[in-house]
Amino acid sequence: MTTPSPVAGIFEQHRDLLFAVAYRMLGTVADAEDAVQDSWLRWSAAARDEVADPKAYLIRVVTNGSLDRLRSARARREAYVGPWLPEPVLTGPGVADRAELAESVSLAMLVVLESLTPEERAVFVLREVFGFSHAEIASSLGKSEPGVRQLAHRAREHVQARRPRFEVDRGQQQEVTRRFLAAAMGGDLDGLLAVLAPDVVLVSDGGGKARAAIRPITGADKVARFIRGIVGRPYDGHQVRDITRSRAAINGSPGVVLTAAGQVLAAVTVTVAGDRVTALQLVVNPDKLRAISAGRELPM
C-alpha cells in the first residue's frame, strides 16, 4: 500500500471541510468538487515555507475559488429554465441530529443564501456555519476586519428575515413528514390538505430537462392537486407500479427518493413548521440527481 506524502496527507485531513464550505457556497456538488480540486493543485504547488497555517491557507483558496465560480454561475442561473434549486445530497445521522448544521445545508437555506451577494455568502458561511473569526475571514478574503463585520451583519439580517421562523422538534418533523408522504403516495387529497399549511409553496426544478412546474405553486389546494396528479401518472416512461419510493435524509431534512429501473427520477425534501408542511422542494433535473444516484453523502 502506497503511503501518501505529507503534502497529500495534510490536504486529506481538510478535504471534507473544504468540500463542506464549497458546497454551501455554490449549491452544486460538481462545482464544489472542482473548487476542492483547484485547492489541491494550489496546495501541492505552494512553497512550504510560505504556508504557516495549512488549514487557513486551504480555506482561503477554496473560498476565493468558490467566489469566482459563484460570480460566473449567476449569469447561467438567470437563463435557467424554471426555478433553480441547489443539488440535493444525502446526509447521515451526524448532520440530521444537529439542528443548526442540518439547517445550514437544507435546500430552503441554500435558496436563501442564493439571494446574498457572493461576498456576503462567503462571510455568512465561514462565520455562522463554521465559526471562523472576523479576523480570519478578513485574511481569507483580503478585506478589512470592519468590512467583514459589516458584510456579516448585512448577511445575518437578510437570512434572519427569510429563514423559517418556527423551531421544530425533530420527532415532530419526522411525524409530519411521515403523514405527508403517506397521503402523497396514496393520492389522498383530504390527507394532503390536512397536513399542508394554507400557504405552502412547492418548487420543482426540472431545468428544462424533465417535466416540472415552470413556476412555484402556492396554496394547499393547488399543491395537493398537483401532487395527486403527478403521483397517479407515469413519469419519464415509467409506469406508476414500477416506481419505488424510499425515505432518505436529504440535506439534513426528511425526504424521499423516487427510482425506477435503477435510475433516480426525483428527490423531494420537506420543510415543516409546527404540525404542517410549509414548503416542498422537488428536484427532477437529471443533472442534479447524480450525487443522490452515486450515494454521495455530505460529510459535515
Side-chain angles (χ1 to χ4, degrees):
M1 184 173 65
T2 303
T3 302
S5 68
V7 171
I10 291 172
F11 183 83
E12 289 303 318
Q13 287 178 3
H14 301 296
R15 179 186 286 274
D16 285 351
L17 173 61
L18 299 178
F19 180 84
V21 170
Y23 175 73
R24 287 168 174 83
M25 284 281 296
L26 297 164
T28 70
V29 172
D31 285 341
E33 288 177 337
D34 285 347
V36 172
Q37 179 61 22
D38 286 350
S39 301
W40 160 248
L41 295 175
R42 287 280 302 277
W43 167 248
S44 61
R48 298 298 123 204
D49 57 354
E50 296 178 4
V51 181
D53 184 341
K55 178 181 176 182
Y57 175 87
L58 288 167
I59 288 293
R60 181 169 68 251
V61 171
V62 82
T63 299
N64 284 286
S66 296
L67 277 171
D68 290 342
R69 282 182 166 76
L70 191 56
R71 293 183 185 108
S72 64
R74 293 212 154 192
R76 297 196 306 272
R77 290 174 191 176
E78 287 176 2
Y80 196 78
V81 178
W84 185 94
L85 286 173
E87 181 178 358
V89 186
L90 299 173
T91 45
V95 173
D97 292 342
R98 296 169 59 186
E100 290 185 2
L101 188 59
E103 184 192 27
S104 77
V105 292
S106 70
L107 294 190
M109 175 58 78
L110 293 176
V111 168
V112 172
L113 295 185
E114 281 289 308
S115 61
L116 299 176
T117 68
E119 289 78 12
E120 288 171 345
R121 186 167 185 169
V123 171
F124 184 88
V125 168
L126 293 176
R127 177 66 181 163
E128 301 296 327
V129 180
F130 295 102
F132 288 97
S133 70
H134 294 108
E136 289 171 321
I137 298 170
S139 176
S140 291
L141 299 182
K143 293 184 176 294
S144 69
E145 190 172 338
V148 165
R149 288 183 181 276
Q150 190 174 45
L151 284 168
H153 177 72
R154 286 206 307 263
R156 189 164 51 249
E157 283 197 333
H158 185 96
V159 171
Q160 288 287 3
R162 290 161 177 78
R163 77 198 319 168
R165 300 183 185 277
F166 300 97
E167 295 280 337
V168 182
D169 175 80
R170 194 71 187 166
Q172 184 182 33
Q173 184 185 41
Q174 292 174 341
E175 172 58 21
V176 172
T177 302
R178 184 197 64 76
R179 287 169 46 213
F180 163 74
L181 293 177
M185 295 307 108
D188 179 1
L189 185 61
D190 289 337
L192 283 169
L193 291 173
V195 77
L196 295 174
D199 57 351
V200 62
V201 178
L202 182 149
V203 178
S204 55
D205 179 342
K209 299 183 178 183
R211 191 174 74 214
I214 201 69
R215 295 181 182 85
I217 300 172
T218 303
D221 186 67
K222 290 181 179 179
V223 170
R225 293 184 185 281
F226 176 83
I227 291 171
R228 192 171 72 163
I230 62 174
V231 166
R233 294 164 56 190
Y235 184 83
D236 196 27
H238 301 285
Q239 297 300 314
V240 174
R241 64 178 178 273
D242 298 324
I243 298 175
T244 301
R245 304 162 184 88
S246 304
R247 293 187 189 182
I250 303 173
N251 287 72
S253 301
V256 62
V257 177
L258 278 60
T259 59
Q263 174 188 354
V264 175
L265 304 178
V268 186
T269 58
V270 181
T271 302
V272 174
D275 61 352
R276 298 291 184 95
V277 172
T278 59
L280 296 161
Q281 299 85 28
L282 170 63
V283 178
V284 292
N285 182 343
D287 293 344
K288 293 186 177 179
L289 296 171
R290 293 170 182 167
I292 296 279
S293 298
R296 175 73 183 268
E297 279 196 7
L298 189 66
M300 61 184 300

